[in-house]
Amino acid sequence: MLPTLRQLQYLKLLAEHGSFSRAAEAAHVSQPALSTGIQELERILGAPVVERTRGAVILTAVGEEAVVRAEDVLARAEDMVEAAKNAGKPLSGRFRLGVIPTIAPFLLPAKLPGLKTAYPDLRLFIREDLTPRLVAALKAGQLDAAVIALPYDTPGLRHARIGFDEILAAAPAAHPLAQAEVLKPGALDAADLILLEDGHCLRDQALTAFDLEAPRGEDVFAATSLHTLVQMVGSGLGVSFLPEMAVKAGLASTPSVAVRRIEGRKKGSPPNREIVVAWRAGSSRAAEAKLLAEAMTLE
């Protein structure tokens, strides 16, 4: 015997909610029905998938492995249904798209109107989140595609390029760095940096590009967004990095902030990040994700 999709769904919901009652509510079934489904799954697998303790549900090692595989099976089953519904009609129906915060406010307003015109039957659901959580959601089948920035380790994913986005330096207008037209990487001092908080891939990409380590200590500033970062730079708190798409969108259009290009390690190759649409390997919506990348191509 093989597990049913319903049993796998019960296990996934149980892992997500950590409670038989909440998992049953999410599955729109009674708690005894969900409990029976889990017991049948355990009989098929020949091992318990959960430890039942008072007030808590803990997955066993078998259960944790089963959840990973169940997410993949359920994602592929959902892909099959969506592909059948939208056969012959690319980018129609529901499409769940993730976008990282250092891209979403600048790319989406410019590209979504044209996308809606080109694909009027598309129902786009947007989720803005950090790269690690978007990648996890892609692999779990909770998203159909995500707009992220490379370099980033993405095993199990495929991607199509939207374009390259140059990384620029932002300094207070009165800062010595503001006097130069183009900055050399060695001109940047790690102790003078203020950055986005940990978890933003732009932070790591910029530091890697300039062989810098993030400043450490209890008094180190960390911004939650690019908008906050620009305000901190404008207040004279330090120097930072901004993506070119944000600058073009007017984020740093203030007299208190000077934006400068940075000379790359190789002449004529300034530091940049590659913007891509990523999807799960084997997804039936891969062709649509590629169309999405074409529709969002950077000019």
Side-chain angles (χ1 to χ4, degrees):
M1 293 181 63
L2 293 175
T4 66
L5 291 178
R6 175 65 75 177
Q7 291 164 355
L8 297 180
Q9 184 185 44
Y10 288 168
L11 177 62
K12 180 184 176 184
L13 291 173
L14 193 57
E16 289 175 356
H17 295 278
S19 160
F20 275 90
S21 60
R22 291 195 295 271
E25 183 179 352
H28 305 291
V29 298
S30 67
Q31 185 172 331
L34 185 133
S35 182
T36 299
I38 294 296
Q39 290 171 1
E40 291 173 350
L41 177 62
E42 290 177 325
R43 281 196 293 272
I44 293 169
L45 297 179
V49 295
V50 294
E51 294 178 5
R52 297 164 176 82
T53 60
R54 174 170 290 186
V57 171
I58 302 173
L59 291 176
T60 64
V62 172
E64 290 179 350
E65 178 65 21
V67 167
V68 173
R69 296 177 182 271
E71 288 176 340
D72 184 59
V73 170
L74 291 169
R76 291 176 184 275
E78 187 170 332
D79 280 346
M80 179 183 67
V81 173
E82 286 296 322
K85 285 181 180 178
N86 303 319
K89 297 185 298 180
L91 284 178
S92 62
R94 183 188 68 172
F95 196 97
R96 301 162 301 176
L97 180 68
V99 191
I100 60 174
T102 57
I103 291 177
F106 318 111
L107 180 68
L108 296 185
K111 299 299 181 179
L112 288 187
L115 189 64
K116 185 62 178 175
T117 300
Y119 301 99
D121 295 328
L122 174 65
R123 292 188 296 116
L124 200 59
F125 292 85
I126 304 292
R127 172 179 167 182
E128 184 178 326
D129 210 336
L130 298 180
T131 306
R133 290 197 282 267
L134 293 184
V135 169
L138 278 176
K139 293 182 176 180
Q142 297 165 357
L143 291 173
D144 298 306
V147 180
I148 61 174
L150 304 182
Y152 191 86
D153 191 22
T154 55
L157 300 183
R158 302 291 182 267
H159 63 264
R161 181 184 300 158
I162 290 178
F164 290 98
D165 186 30
E166 189 174 342
I167 298 175
L168 307 172
H175 195 281
L177 290 180
Q179 308 309 312
E181 292 185 6
V182 179
L183 305 183
K184 295 184 180 296
L188 301 171
D189 186 350
D192 201 23
L193 290 179
I194 52 175
L195 301 166
L196 290 169
E197 63 183 359
D198 197 18
H200 287 273
C201 57
L202 176 64
R203 165 194 172 101
D204 299 328
Q205 290 159 355
L207 289 172
T208 300
F210 306 122
D211 290 327
L212 294 173
E213 291 189 5
R216 303 179 185 279
E218 295 181 358
D219 58 345
V220 172
F221 290 96
T224 57
S225 70
L226 288 176
H227 291 81
T228 303
L229 193 63
V230 169
Q231 291 176 350
M232 293 166 68
V233 171
S235 298
L237 296 179
V239 177
S240 194
F241 304 107
L242 294 176
E244 185 179 22
M245 63 168 58
V247 174
K248 285 184 175 179
L251 181 65
S253 297
T254 169
S256 61
V257 176
V259 176
R260 297 291 182 265
R261 304 190 76 167
I262 304 170
E263 184 180 292
R265 295 175 184 173
K266 295 180 180 179
K267 192 171 183 180
S269 59
N272 60 59
R273 56 181 185 164
E274 183 182 6
I275 310 300
V276 303
V277 174
W279 62 89
R280 187 178 61 261
S283 171
S284 64
R285 310 205 76 174
E288 293 176 286
K290 292 176 183 177
L291 286 176
L292 202 62
E294 291 177 9
M296 292 185 169
T297 299
L298 296 177
E299 298 175 357

